[in-house]
Amino acid sequence: MKIFPTTSIKQLDADTIKNEPIASIDLMERASRALARAIAERWEPDTPLTVFAGPGNNGGDALALARLLAGKGYRLEVYLFNTKGTLSPDCETNKERLADVPGVDFHEVTTQFVPPVLTADHVVIDGLFGSGLNKALSGGFAAVVKYINASPATVVSIDIPSGLMGEDNTYNVHTNIVRAHLTLSLQLPKLAFLFAENEPYVGEWQLLDIGLSEDAIHDMETDFRLLEHEDVSALLKPRSRFAHKGNFGRALLIAGSQGMAGASVLAARACLRSGVGLLTVHVPFCNNFIVQTSVPEAMTELDISDTCFAAATDTDDYQAVAIGPGLGKAAETEAALLEQIETCQTPMVVDADALNLLGEKRNYIGRLPKGSILTPHPKELERLVGKCQNSYERLMKARELAKSAGVHIILKGAYSAIVTPAGKCFFNPTGNPGMATGGSGDVLTGVVLALLAQGYEPEKAACLATYVHGLAGDVACKKQGAVGMTVGGYSCLPAASVEDAGRIRREV
C-alpha cells in the first residue's frame, strides 16, 4: 500500500475528478458516505454528536457527514468556523445543503465562539483542518483545539487530526493538535500515523475506501509503502520436493559472551526455524555447552577467547553472516569486529553490540560487504547518525545512511521501517507491544540471517523477515496475551506461517 506525501493527495483527488469523471462535490459526498458508515458502525443514533467544521474541504466533509448522520436519526450540534468569511466552494455547498435539515442544531461562528457543553457521553467529530495544513495552528483555532482536548468526550478526526501535519511535525506546536481517539483516514494512511510520538494525536486509525482512482495511485511514485499480506506472501520461494540442506544455504552467527549465551540461543533457534540449511554459531568457550545443548541442530565454532568474541573468523564457506547479539563491548571484541568487517566478503546482518561498537567507528559502516543489513532500534541508530528530535528526523537520517553506506536498514519498533540504499521505505504492520521484551531483536537477526543465506535479495529478506517476525509475535499474543509474552514463546514459529498471515491478522 502506497503512502503519499500530503502534497500529492490533492493531485490524486484531481486525477480522480478528471478521469472518472466525477464532480468534486460528488467525490466529497462519496467520502462522507464512507465516514457516515464508519460512525454508524461504532455509535448508536442516541449518541450525542458535536461536529466542529473548518472553512476548507475538511470542513465540507464534516458538514456533509452531519447531514448524512441526521438522515440516519442522529441528533447533532454543528459548529462551522467561518471567521474570515471565506469557505471553499464545496464547503459552501454543503453548508447550504445542511440548512433546515431536521435533527441538526447549526451554528456558524464568524466572531465569538460560545463552546458547547461536552460530556463523556459525547462524540466530537473533528473536521477543522485536513492533510493540507502546512503550519501550526494558532489563535482562535488553537483555542478550539485545546477546548476539545480538555473535554472528556470521545474524539473522531476526519482524515487526520486537526493541527497534525502529514509528515514532519518537528516544528509543530503539539499543544495545538487535536488528540483523537479515532482517525478515519480517507483512502490511504499518512506517514505521520506511523511515528510513535504521534500516537497520542492519531489514536486508532482506520482506512476508508472513497474510490480514488486506482490508476492514479498506481502511476504516482512514492518512496513510502505499508507492507501488506499479498506483498509478503509473494516473496516466499517454493521448495523442490528433491531439495536437500545444501540448497538452503550455510549461515554463520557470531554472537554471545559470558553471561549472554541466551542471545546466541534465541538467534540460532530463529535462524533454524526460518529455513536455513546449515547453521554454525561462533561462540566463546564459556557458551559452547549452552548452545550445543539448547540448539542441537546448530554446529559451534570456538573463539580463541573463553569469554568473548576476540578473533575474526573465515567466512568464505558461508552465504550470510550475522554478528552482534550478546557480543559485549570488550576491547578485543571491537578489534575483532573491525577485522571481521575488513575481511568478510559475505553479506552481513549487523545487530546489537556490533552496532554499538560501530557507533564509535562509523567509518567502518561503508566498508560492510555488499548486501549487508543493519537492524538498529532507535537508540542504536542514533549512535550511528547522531541525536534525532523525533521519528521523522530519525527516518530521514536512516535513509541518508542507507544511501551513503550502500546498506539496508531495518529500523525496529512499531511499524518497523525497512530502508533501502535507493531511499525506499517499507513499513511493517505486524507485531504488538508484547514483543517489547528482551531478545526480540536477537530473533529478528536470526530470521534475516536465514533468509539471506537462502539466497533472498537483501530488500526481500528484510521485508519478509520483519513481517514474519511481527506475525510470530501476533500469534503468540493471541495465545498468551501481550503482558505474558516472552521471546521463547514466538521464536519457535516458522517463517512459513506467513501463509496464514491474513487470517491471523484479522483475528488478533
Side-chain angles (χ1 to χ4, degrees):
M1 180 185 296
K2 289 184 174 181
I3 303 172
F4 293 105
T6 50
T7 52
S8 300
I9 300 299
K10 284 187 178 180
Q11 187 59 50
L12 285 177
D13 289 345
D15 289 346
T16 302
I17 290 167
K18 177 182 178 181
N19 297 324
E20 188 166 338
I22 184 174
S24 62
I25 189 66
D26 293 331
L27 181 60
M28 180 175 285
E29 189 75 5
R30 192 157 73 192
S32 299
R33 285 197 297 268
L35 289 163
R37 285 193 297 270
I39 295 292
E41 286 172 359
R42 292 177 182 250
W43 289 282
E44 297 295 329
D46 59 353
T47 305
L49 301 178
T50 302
V51 178
F52 292 90
N57 281 352
N58 196 252
D61 290 332
L63 296 179
L65 171 60
R67 170 171 44 80
L68 293 170
L69 289 175
K72 293 177 180 287
Y74 290 81
R75 298 193 64 82
L76 304 97
E77 196 169 13
V78 178
Y79 291 83
L80 171 61
F81 292 86
N82 186 15
T83 55
K84 294 185 177 179
T86 304
L87 302 177
S88 73
D90 289 345
C91 186
E92 180 70 42
T93 298
N94 273 306
K95 170 191 165 184
E96 294 168 2
R97 289 179 176 179
L98 190 62
D100 302 322
V101 170
V104 176
D105 183 11
F106 179 75
H107 309 268
E108 184 170 4
V109 179
T110 56
T111 53
Q112 188 175 3
F113 169 52
V114 179
V117 175
L118 298 175
T119 70
D121 294 328
H122 278 77
V123 171
V124 167
I125 296 174
D126 159 38
L128 292 171
F129 292 96
S131 59
L133 195 71
N134 56 17
K135 62 180 180 180
L137 294 182
S138 60
F141 282 112
V144 173
V145 167
K146 290 175 180 176
Y147 176 75
I148 293 172
N149 290 343
S151 79
T154 298
V155 181
V156 180
S157 287
I158 295 175
D159 200 31
I160 190 170
S162 293
L164 185 69
M165 297 174 204
E167 291 84 39
D168 184 7
N169 286 274
T170 302
Y171 301 106
N172 207 339
V173 179
H174 292 83
T175 56
N176 298 348
I177 303 172
V178 165
R179 290 176 172 263
H181 298 89
L182 172 66
T183 298
L184 298 173
S185 186
L186 303 180
Q187 196 71 46
L188 297 166
K190 313 299 183 285
L191 190 62
F193 293 178
L194 310 181
F195 297 148
E197 61 269 16
N198 295 333
E199 183 182 17
Y201 312 108
V202 177
E204 175 193 353
W205 55 273
Q206 177 183 345
L207 294 182
L208 302 182
D209 185 351
I210 64 168
L212 292 184
S213 170
E214 292 183 7
D215 289 339
I217 293 171
H218 178 271
D219 293 342
M220 188 175 290
E221 295 296 323
T222 178
D223 286 333
F224 306 102
R225 290 177 179 265
L226 185 67
L227 290 174
E228 296 182 274
H229 167 60
E230 293 76 13
D231 303 323
V232 178
S233 60
L235 301 179
L236 283 172
K237 296 180 179 182
R239 290 198 163 200
S240 167
R241 185 174 185 84
F242 294 94
H244 55 82
K245 62 187 177 185
N247 296 127
F248 302 115
R250 294 189 64 189
L252 175 66
L253 172 63
I254 303 172
S257 57
Q258 189 167 35
M260 294 294 289
S264 308
V265 171
L266 291 168
R269 284 177 175 168
C271 183
L272 288 161
R273 280 287 185 172
S274 298
V276 74
L278 291 164
L279 172 65
T280 298
V281 187
H282 183 95
V283 295
F285 180 77
C286 66
N287 289 350
N288 184 59
F289 179 76
I290 297 171
V291 174
Q292 290 262 271
T293 304
S294 302
V295 197
E297 300 92 342
M299 298 168 282
T300 59
E301 175 186 85
L302 291 181
D303 194 87
I304 61 172
S305 170
D306 288 345
T307 60
C308 67
F309 173 53
T313 187
D314 182 18
T315 59
D316 290 345
D317 292 335
Y318 301 99
Q319 282 69 58
V321 176
I323 187 168
L327 212 61
K329 296 176 68 176
E332 56 263 51
T333 299
E334 178 181 305
L337 169 66
L338 300 182
E339 183 182 351
Q340 192 71 68
I341 292 172
E342 291 277 21
T343 58
C344 186
Q345 301 299 314
T346 304
M348 299 180 74
V349 185
V350 185
D351 183 36
D353 284 327
L355 290 170
N356 293 329
L357 290 169
L358 281 178
E360 300 169 9
K361 302 286 183 179
R362 298 182 189 181
N363 58 312
Y364 274 80
I365 300 173
R367 305 184 196 183
L368 286 165
K370 183 179 180 181
S372 292
I373 300 174
L374 311 185
T375 62
H377 57 58
K379 287 298 181 184
E380 288 168 343
L381 180 75
E382 289 189 1
R383 294 183 187 113
L384 302 177
V385 301
K387 282 285 187 181
C388 301
Q389 296 180 69
N390 54 33
S391 299
Y392 179 81
E393 182 182 1
R394 195 175 295 117
L395 180 66
M396 294 303 107
K397 287 190 175 182
R399 294 178 79 199
E400 292 171 8
L401 177 62
K403 290 178 181 179
S404 63
V407 296
H408 288 72
I409 297 173
I410 301 174
L411 180 53
K412 296 182 292 194
Y415 300 108
S416 292
I418 297 93
V419 184
T420 75
K424 295 180 181 178
C425 299
F426 301 89
F427 294 91
N428 176 56
T430 63
N432 59 81
M435 298 174 72
T437 187
S440 286
D442 303 327
V443 171
L444 178 61
T445 294
V447 182
V448 179
L449 173 62
L451 297 177
L452 278 182
Q454 290 171 72
Y456 285 86
E457 297 171 3
E459 180 180 306
K460 294 178 179 178
C463 289
L464 180 54
T466 307
Y467 190 94
V468 168
H469 178 247
L471 177 63
D474 288 340
V475 174
C477 184
K478 181 174 173 59
K479 292 179 178 179
Q480 304 171 15
V483 176
M485 282 175 59
T486 61
V487 171
Y490 71 83
S491 63
C492 60
L493 295 168
S497 64
V498 73
E499 296 169 356
D500 295 324
R503 174 183 59 78
I504 292 167
R505 290 296 293 165
R506 287 192 296 271
E507 292 176 356
V508 170

